[in-house]
Amino acid sequence: MSTDPFRAARFILQLRQQGIRDDAVLSAMETVDRRDFIDKSLHKLAVEDAVLPLACGQVLPKPLTVAQLLTALGMTPGRKESYLLIGAGSGYTAALMAKIAGKVWAVDRFKTLVDAARSNLDALGIRNVSLRQADGFSGWREHAPYNRILVTGAVTQIPEDLSAQLAVGGKVVAPVIGVDGRQTLRVVTKDGARSHSPLAEPLLPLVEGLAEAL
């Protein structure tokens, strides 16, 4: 992750101490440098447990939150599975998923972010991620079904269009806003089974449609 191995080790130890136990997720986060997906002025904060700003008013969540999202997916390294990411941002989460998944399809409503994510991933030689500007509520139907779908924006309920794009045995993971306004991490399988877990921080809402100006 970093030219300083001790800094990288501290970063992973911090995640372990906060309850992250998925070795595949930890390995990906150790090898993908968050600095490659943020403005240079923020590089010193890359290994801090901090929310970092992106273009278009979006943010890169805390590492703990990203780790929670990825852990909930239950990814298995080595399997040629297909994943859909809703909310590509600057490409960081897609890069982490690409280290584990066979193929990642990622969408974002902002063309500016899609272009930035593509540039960042190309610079790192990550070739198993495809991106496009699209409405996250609609997913990417052309390449369905997906073994896993990750939604990185908060929703009041998981969109039916996304659930319909799951493969048999698949699952969708999303931060869901409850009636009290609090967010929890919800996992829903293709057969309708549900589970909930705490989320380290609330995430920005998933907004329907495409951004016209950005």
Side-chain angles (χ1 to χ4, degrees):
M1 170 180 181
S2 168
T3 54
D4 180 353
F6 296 103
R7 190 182 187 195
R10 287 195 299 270
F11 177 70
I12 298 304
L13 177 60
Q14 182 182 30
L15 290 173
R16 286 190 179 277
Q17 290 174 336
Q18 294 177 108
I20 303 302
R21 298 287 183 265
D22 190 310
D23 288 336
V25 172
L26 290 169
S27 177
M29 297 188 78
E30 186 174 17
T31 56
V32 176
D33 196 334
R34 217 162 64 129
R35 291 180 299 181
D36 293 323
F37 301 90
I38 56 177
D39 188 82
K40 289 182 179 179
S41 65
L42 301 170
H43 279 187
K44 65 181 180 180
L45 298 174
V47 294
E48 300 298 327
D49 199 29
V51 177
L52 301 177
L54 299 176
C56 308
Q58 301 303 291
V59 299
L60 187 60
K62 294 179 180 180
L64 175 58
T65 306
V66 175
Q68 288 179 324
L69 293 171
L70 296 179
T71 297
L73 283 176
M75 298 180 286
T76 303
R79 289 185 181 177
K80 293 183 178 180
E81 294 184 325
S82 179
Y83 294 179
L84 174 63
L85 172 63
I86 305 299
S90 60
Y92 177 64
T93 302
L96 294 171
M97 293 170 69
K99 290 290 183 179
I100 307 171
K103 176 65 180 182
V104 179
W105 306 91
V107 304
D108 203 286
R109 68 187 301 265
F110 295 101
K111 184 179 185 300
T112 297
L113 288 178
V114 170
D115 291 343
R118 185 176 290 115
S119 177
N120 292 336
L121 294 167
D122 285 348
L124 295 173
I126 296 174
R127 307 300 181 200
N128 58 328
V129 177
S130 293
L131 299 114
R132 80 166 183 179
Q133 184 187 22
D135 181 355
F137 280 80
S138 299
W140 198 338
R141 298 185 188 94
E142 293 87 341
H143 300 289
Y146 302 99
N147 301 99
R148 301 284 189 272
I149 298 176
L150 174 60
V151 183
T152 61
V155 293
T156 55
Q157 60 183 5
I158 294 176
E160 292 184 5
D161 275 355
L162 297 184
S163 297
Q165 292 172 42
L166 279 176
V168 174
K171 66 174 68 171
V172 56
V173 173
V176 174
I177 305 169
V179 293
D180 59 358
R182 297 181 180 179
Q183 293 182 23
T184 57
L185 191 56
R186 180 177 295 177
V187 179
V188 179
T189 64
K190 180 67 174 179
D191 60 11
R194 297 186 177 191
S195 63
H196 299 263
S197 60
L199 195 57
E201 62 174 329
L203 296 175
L204 294 177
L206 185 68
V207 178
E208 196 168 2
L210 301 181
E212 295 182 4
L214 301 174

